[in-house]
């Protein structure tokens, strides 16, 4: 029997793995069973080892999907004709209920799919229900497709169709898994205990004693599963894959609902051994629910639930490690995807601080009032800690938003980020009609954005508890929002040195990456918060961390002319020539920025930055300075032996860049430094600096180049016809 229940917020972590040298602590409680514990850091080490050995899982091929689709069609026909029995009866009933529920909710397509070419056919509710049973596992894996990837419009047709199905399904199914309680109870045992300790009645009594309703009566999706006998007649070869897909998607929906509601505890009741007729490894808890929990916590990231395992056979030493290993069983593809975006595995597993406890509940222990009291206390402690952590995040952000308003703002921020990326990508492709659609959608989001409503932003319209008060009340100092923005990141971005110092004193982790891989040091460097940068470095912040674009904090400091920050980073052994995803170094960023470029460029050159390093398109820093018209920086680079006649991948020299943009002072400097006067770039077109300047009407540059002996090639067409 597999049941789902909901309880309040709590989290702890149990890992009993002697092979890994993990220490097990016992929290003694008078006259009550004690829980075995392992820290979240120790669990992360176990996951790191497992993921290092795992290969990315592969989804089922199209042939399997086609056969499953045909099977689902048979179920629908049998149900419609009133000729269904056994498994087909259970499946038909469930599918009919799901289809009706979807139609009642009337979900709409996510806006981004209207921009894909060729156009994707719109989903129907019947198709979406079929997707649960035919593509459930593949849809869960498709959740690793980032918003940035989706907004790039580069997904192939098959991948785009799968992600479309996922977004449509989540729009209507996840709300149906929602409950009003604040924790989830999963049970992995059957109602056949000769000692009468695990009956369904006792399970319901236990849920009631912990003051939380069960999922089956409390969520619509749970009720549908329960009313169809949990599809128990479908555990046979023909329909087993349909069931596996359904449980994968249903489990994910329950967990997504928990994440969205800020619920923080999973209670797992186990009364099965590792071997035997009804072995634990054959249970839904083992095969689907715990792996889904791993995907949600570590794959999606930035959710740190508490897992309380209650082993009614008293075999935590066996069942707990086995279940914990299942956390990693579906994370291989997720980890591989992140590694392709320049994530380290150790940073990937640190995206969650999931905790685990296991209770050997045998002999004198049972599902009674005493155990219910223990569980309720642990759940409420976690609930309080999470709530205080969110309050801490709001306090550091200095916003008077309540929790619901803050959540709405976070969702809008993520949505607008996608729209902005979409708008940029459409502009590059010159799809003017679609670009306007994206801009209209962006503007409509802006009108509803929480942060644009003054009544939600009045900084002191409600008294805010101070960060110090909240930390003394055991708030989680590493609380993060759904984009991975930690409390310390918020302080770093705002330049609040005193708050950052307080957080670090309370052991805030300075090296937790956000959704894009930025650490607090990236954000402090980006905003020129030199005092915060100094604090972070004193507290062992990594000085050379890479984000998904392979940018380091020194890139950020150079890009915005933050000389003091750049000096601090370099004093702490920051790499002077790290190259980002496009090959750009901090020197490229420094010479291209609009202010402070000269000071930062000079500092980098003092630290022996490579003056002719090729960046995007093979452009050197001198190409960048010529393009922007920064004559002082160009002179500085030349003084440090920059090559005035170095070509980029298009054959352009710095003189081409300066002439093309009419940078007359830079042109004069380059000519004085013996730059070639009439070099051709592309061998097919052969444009010279004079031709580029003439075709764009830069008369001063034209005159200067002619004074140095440049002549127009015959194919050049100057704007004045001369």
């Amino acid at each position: 029997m597999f049941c789902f229940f909901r309880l309040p917020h709590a989290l702890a972590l149990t890992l009993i793995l002697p092979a890994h040298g993990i220490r097990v602590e016992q929290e003694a409680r008078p006259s009550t069973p004690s829980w075995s514990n392992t820290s979240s850091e120790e669990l992360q080490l176990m996951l790191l080892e497992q993921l290092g050995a795992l290969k990315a899982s592969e989804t089922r091929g199209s042939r399997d999907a086609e056969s499953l689709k045909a099977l689902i069609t048979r179920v629908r026909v049998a149900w419609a004709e009133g000729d269904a029995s056994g498994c087909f009866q259970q499946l038909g009933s469930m599918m009919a209920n799901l289809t009706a529920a979807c139609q009642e909710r009337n979900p709409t397509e996510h806006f981004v799919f209207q921009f894909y070419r060729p156009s994707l056919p719109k989903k129907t509710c019947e198709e979406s229900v079929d997707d649960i049973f035919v593509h459930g596992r593949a849809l869960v894996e498709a959740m690793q497709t980032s918003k940035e990837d989706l907004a790039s419009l580069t997904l192939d047709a098959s991948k785009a169709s799968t992600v479309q199905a996922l977004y449509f399904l989540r729009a209507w199914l996840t709300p149906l898994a929602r409950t009003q309680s604040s924790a989830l109870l999963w049970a992995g045992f059957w109602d056949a205990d000769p000692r009468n300790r695990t009956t369904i009645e006792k399970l319901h009594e236990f849920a009631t004693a912990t003051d939380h309703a069960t999922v089956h009566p409390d969520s619509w999706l749970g009720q549908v599963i329960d009313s169809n006998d949990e599809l128990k007649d479908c555990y046979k070869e023909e329909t087993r894959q349909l069931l596996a897909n359904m449980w994968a998607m249903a489990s994910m929906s329950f967990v997504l609902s928990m994440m969205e509601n800020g619920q923080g505890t999973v209670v797992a009741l186990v009364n099965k051994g590792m071997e035997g007729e009804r072995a634990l490894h054959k249970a839904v808890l083992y095969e689907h629910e715990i792996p889904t929990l791993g995907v949600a916590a570590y794959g999606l990231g930035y959710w740190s639930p508490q897992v309380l395992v209650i082993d009614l056979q008293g075999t935590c030493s066996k069942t707990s490690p086995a279940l914990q290993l299942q956390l990693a069983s579906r994370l291989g593809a997720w980890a591989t995807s992140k590694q392709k975006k320049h994530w380290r595995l150790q940073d990937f597993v640190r995206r969650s601080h999931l905790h685990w406890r296991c209770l050997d509940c045998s002999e004198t222990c049972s599902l009674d009032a005493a155990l219910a009291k223990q569980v309720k206390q642990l759940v409420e402690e976690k609930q309080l800690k999470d709530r205080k952590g969110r309050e801490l995040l709001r306090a550091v952000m200095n916003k008077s938003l309540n929790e619901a308003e803050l959540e709405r703002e976070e969702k809008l921020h993520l949505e607008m980020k996608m729209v902005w990326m979409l708008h940029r990508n459409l502009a590059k492709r010159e799809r003017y009609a679609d670009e306007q659609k994206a801009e209209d959608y962006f503007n409509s989001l802006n009108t509803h954005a929480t942060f644009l409503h003054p009544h939600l932003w009045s900084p002191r319209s409600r008294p805010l508890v101070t960060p110090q008060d909240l930390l003394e009340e055991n708030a989680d100092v590493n609380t993060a929002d759904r984009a991975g923005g930690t409390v310390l990141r918020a302080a770093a971005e705002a330049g609040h040195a005193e708050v950052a110092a307080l957080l670090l004193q309370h052991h805030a982790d300075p090296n937790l990456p956000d959704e894009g891989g930025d650490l607090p040091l990236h954000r402090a460097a980006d905003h020129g918060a030199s005092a915060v940068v100094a604090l972070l470095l004193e507290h062992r912040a990594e000085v050379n961390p890479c984000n998904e674009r392979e940018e380091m904090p020194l890139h950020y400091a150079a890009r915005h002319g933050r000389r003091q920050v750049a000096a601090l980073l370099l004093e702490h052994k920051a790499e002077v020539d790290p190259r980002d995803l496009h090959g750009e170094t901090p020197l490229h960023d420094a010479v291209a920025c609009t202010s402070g470029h000269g000071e930062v460029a000079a500092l980098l050159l003092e630290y022996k930055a490579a003056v002719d390093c090729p960046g995007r398109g093979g452009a050197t820093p001198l190409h960048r300075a010529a393009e922007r018209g920064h004559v002082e920086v160009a002179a500085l680079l030349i003084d440090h032996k920059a090559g005035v006649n170095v070509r980029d991948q298009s054959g352009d020299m710095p003189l081409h860049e300066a002439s093309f943009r009419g940078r007359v002072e830079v042109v004069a400097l380059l000519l004085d430094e013996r730059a070639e006067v009439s070099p051709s770039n592309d061998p097919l077109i052969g444009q010279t600096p004079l031709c580029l300047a003439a075709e764009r009407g830069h008369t001063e540059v034209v005159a200067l180049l002619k004074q140095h002996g440049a002549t127009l090639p015959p194919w050049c067409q100057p704007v004045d016809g001369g």
Side-chain angles (χ1 to χ4, degrees), residues 570-587:
L570 290 166
E571 287 169 10
H572 284 78
K573 311 301 181 185
E575 293 180 28
V576 70
D577 286 319
R579 304 183 71 171
D580 67 14
L581 195 59
H582 303 289
E584 303 275 282
T585 66
L587 187 56

Side-chain angles (χ1 to χ4, degrees), residues 6 174 177 184 186 249-261 263 266 288-290 292-297 300 303 305:
R6 294 253 172 185
T174 302
L184 178 69
W186 283 329
M249 202 64 232
S251 299
M252 197 72 225
S253 297
F254 284 123
V255 173
L256 287 173
S257 176
M258 289 187 71
M259 294 177 69
E260 292 176 3
N261 289 344
Q263 298 163 335
V266 171
H288 300 290
E289 292 162 354
I290 295 298
T292 298
L293 187 62
V295 165
L300 295 176
W303 179 53

Side-chain angles (χ1 to χ4, degrees), residues 381-393 395 465-479 487 503 506 508:
E381 287 173 358
K382 178 63 165 65
Q383 187 177 32
L384 178 62
K385 186 173 184 177
D386 286 349
R387 187 172 70 247
K388 292 296 181 182
R390 295 288 290 179
E391 289 179 13
L392 178 62
L393 186 61
V465 181
T466 68
Q468 176 70 56
D469 293 338
L470 291 164
L471 288 168
E472 289 176 357
E473 294 174 359
N474 199 33
D476 184 354
V477 72
N478 289 313
T479 295
V487 181
L503 295 170
H506 283 77

Side-chain angles (χ1 to χ4, degrees), residues 74-139:
R74 285 172 50 201
V75 172
R76 285 193 178 277
V77 171
W79 172 261
E81 294 176 351
D83 192 29
S85 61
C87 175
F88 276 30
Q89 167 67 28
Q90 293 167 355
L91 280 173
S93 173
M94 184 171 178
M95 292 169 64
N97 278 280
L98 288 169
T99 303
C102 172
Q103 292 169 343
E104 184 178 346
R105 296 194 69 86
N106 191 27
T108 58
E109 295 277 6
H110 191 278
F111 76 92
V112 75
F113 296 106
Q114 67 183 285
F115 299 100
Y116 268 82
R117 300 292 180 270
S119 299
L120 297 169
K122 292 186 176 181
K123 301 292 292 187
T124 67
C125 281
E126 184 171 295
E127 291 169 341
S128 189
V129 171
D130 289 356
D131 286 337
I132 296 174
F133 296 89
V134 176
H135 303 294
R137 283 285 297 272
L139 292 175

Side-chain angles (χ1 to χ4, degrees), residues 311-384:
D311 189 321
L312 292 162
Q313 294 189 357
T315 55
C316 276
S317 61
K318 297 179 180 179
T319 57
S320 187
L323 288 170
Q324 288 167 0
L325 290 174
Q326 281 297 95
L327 290 170
S329 63
R330 295 184 189 172
L331 280 178
W334 296 76
T336 300
S337 175
K338 277 297 186 182
Q339 286 177 297
K340 289 179 180 177
K341 294 185 176 181
H342 316 290
W343 279 71
R344 300 176 303 180
L345 271 181
Q346 56 264 43
D347 291 329
F348 173 74
V349 301
R350 293 170 70 237
R351 296 184 345 141
S352 175
H353 289 83
L354 183 148
H355 286 70
W356 190 289
R357 298 186 184 195
C358 190
L359 180 68
D360 280 320
C361 185
S362 61
E363 303 300 331
T364 59
C365 170
S366 62
L367 301 182
D368 56 14
L371 180 57
K373 183 178 180 181
Q374 277 196 64
V375 171
K376 184 177 179 181
Q377 180 179 344
L378 291 171
V379 167
E380 290 177 348
E381 287 173 358
K382 178 63 165 65
Q383 187 177 32
L384 178 62

Side-chain angles (χ1 to χ4, degrees), residues 559-571:
R559 184 173 305 147
H560 299 294
R562 318 291 194 190
R563 187 191 186 284
Q564 189 173 359
V565 171
L568 277 169
L569 293 169
L570 290 166
E571 287 169 10

Side-chain angles (χ1 to χ4, degrees), residues 222-513:
Q223 291 177 35
V224 169
I225 295 173
D226 192 41
S227 66
N228 290 287
D229 293 327
E230 297 178 343
L231 306 176
K232 64 182 181 182
D233 291 339
C234 297
Y235 286 91
K236 52 188 178 183
E237 189 61 32
E238 181 185 27
T239 51
R240 188 175 297 277
Q241 188 58 43
L242 294 178
L243 210 58
N245 282 319
M246 185 279 291
W247 278 119
M249 202 64 232
S251 299
M252 197 72 225
S253 297
F254 284 123
V255 173
L256 287 173
S257 176
M258 289 187 71
M259 294 177 69
E260 292 176 3
N261 289 344
Q263 298 163 335
T265 296
V266 171
V267 180
L269 297 177
V270 178
N271 192 27
K272 289 188 175 185
M274 298 305 300
E275 305 296 334
E277 178 187 356
R278 294 174 180 257
L280 180 61
H281 66 82
K282 296 180 180 179
V284 171
L285 175 70
Y286 182 93
E287 286 191 281
H288 300 290
E289 292 162 354
I290 295 298
T292 298
L293 187 62
V295 165
Y298 299 96
L300 295 176
Y302 312 114
W303 179 53
S304 300
Q306 168 173 253
V307 179
L308 304 177
V309 177
I310 300 174
D311 189 321
L312 292 162
Q313 294 189 357
T315 55
C316 276
S317 61
K318 297 179 180 179
T319 57
S320 187
L323 288 170
Q324 288 167 0
L325 290 174
Q326 281 297 95
L327 290 170
S329 63
R330 295 184 189 172
L331 280 178
W334 296 76
T336 300
S337 175
K338 277 297 186 182
Q339 286 177 297
K340 289 179 180 177
K341 294 185 176 181
H342 316 290
W343 279 71
R344 300 176 303 180
L345 271 181
Q346 56 264 43
D347 291 329
F348 173 74
V349 301
R350 293 170 70 237
R351 296 184 345 141
S352 175
H353 289 83
L354 183 148
H355 286 70
W356 190 289
R357 298 186 184 195
C358 190
L359 180 68
D360 280 320
C361 185
S362 61
E363 303 300 331
T364 59
C365 170
S366 62
L367 301 182
D368 56 14
L371 180 57
K373 183 178 180 181
Q374 277 196 64
V375 171
K376 184 177 179 181
Q377 180 179 344
L378 291 171
V379 167
E380 290 177 348
E381 287 173 358
K382 178 63 165 65
Q383 187 177 32
L384 178 62
K385 186 173 184 177
D386 286 349
R387 187 172 70 247
K388 292 296 181 182
R390 295 288 290 179
E391 289 179 13
L392 178 62
L393 186 61
R394 295 201 302 273
V396 172
M397 293 168 70
N398 197 30
K399 295 181 180 179
S400 60
L401 306 178
N402 62 33
E403 182 64 21
E405 293 163 348
L406 182 62
E407 288 178 3
R408 180 167 175 259
E409 180 185 278
E410 289 175 3
K411 291 178 181 177
L412 282 168
H413 173 74
L414 292 173
E415 190 83 342
M416 285 190 292
K417 181 180 177 182
M418 176 187 279
V419 177
W420 174 252
M421 290 187 293
L422 175 65
H423 190 284
R424 182 187 62 191
N425 291 325
L426 287 170
K428 287 180 181 178
R429 298 185 183 191
E430 299 181 351
R431 293 179 183 169
Y432 298 112
D434 285 350
E435 185 181 346
Q436 184 60 51
K437 284 183 184 178
E439 185 170 354
D440 291 344
Y441 192 87
F442 184 71
N443 290 335
S444 71
L445 275 178
N446 267 331
T447 61
H448 295 93
T450 304
F451 59 79
L452 293 182
H453 290 270
H455 70 281
L456 297 179
W457 271 81
S458 48
R460 296 294 174 184
S461 62
R462 297 190 286 271
L464 285 174
V465 181
T466 68
Q468 176 70 56
D469 293 338
L470 291 164
L471 288 168
E472 289 176 357
E473 294 174 359
N474 199 33
D476 184 354
V477 72
N478 289 313
T479 295
D481 62 21
R482 289 302 309 137
T486 62
V487 181
L488 185 57
R489 181 193 189 278
E493 196 164 66
H496 295 326
E498 291 183 4
V499 175
L502 177 66
L503 295 170
L504 289 165
Q505 288 168 11
H506 283 77
H507 309 294
D509 190 335
N511 296 314
L512 291 179

